Amino acid sequence: MSAVNKQKMPINYKGRYGMWRILNLLILGAIAAGIFFTFSYIYKNVFDTLYNANIVTNLRTNAAIYELDLNAYEKAQNAIEKKKNVVKIPSEPRNIFNFFGVNLTTSTNATSTKK
């Protein structure tokens, strides 16, 4: 018997266990997908953790003291000192309605004529 003489199984063949075969393929596919996503999740998180730990150790070993900008430091220190100085409020505050010393008041005297 040669391969040419063999009868091919028709595509619509279901047989007695056709539905179980399809269900089996779906379940195995879901299990394979779950295993794949589990391993990819673990792989990603393990290497991210190792990468972050490597960065932390590199930063600890390469810690350096940078030069300070003393002019900026002194300016900031002077600004802080200025903020700490309390401004005293005068006992008699100025009249905010008195513009340039000009009196702009109007007469409010009302006259009534009662007999």
Side-chain angles (χ1 to χ4, degrees):
M1 282 176 48
S2 66
V4 177
N5 293 336
K6 273 188 169 180
Q7 283 187 343
K8 293 184 180 178
M9 186 179 292
I11 295 174
N12 59 2
Y13 174 77
K14 292 186 181 176
R16 199 168 158 186
Y17 301 106
M19 185 58 93
W20 291 109
R21 289 177 186 164
I22 294 171
L23 187 61
N24 185 25
L25 288 175
L26 291 175
I27 291 173
L28 289 177
I31 290 172
I35 289 171
F36 172 75
F37 286 120
T38 301
F39 280 119
S40 65
Y41 178 79
I42 291 171
Y43 176 81
K44 180 188 176 303
N45 286 328
V46 164
F47 280 101
D48 282 348
T49 303
L50 290 175
Y51 178 74
N52 291 338
N54 190 19
I55 288 175
V56 168
T57 55
N58 283 341
L59 289 176
R60 283 185 183 166
T61 57
N62 297 334
I65 297 174
Y66 299 105
E67 288 187 28
L68 295 177
D69 186 5
L70 293 178
N71 291 333
Y73 175 76
E74 289 174 2
K75 285 170 77 175
Q77 190 174 14
N78 290 336
I80 291 172
E81 289 299 322
K82 284 182 184 178
K83 274 189 168 184
K84 286 182 180 178
N85 292 339
V86 179
V87 177
K88 293 184 179 179
I89 299 174
S91 60
E92 291 184 25
R94 67 181 179 89
N95 186 1
I96 61 172
F97 300 106
N98 190 2
F99 299 105
F100 305 109
V102 177
N103 193 359
L104 299 176
T105 58
T106 59
S107 174
T108 56
N109 295 336
T111 58
S112 63
T113 56
K114 283 189 178 180
K115 291 186 182 184

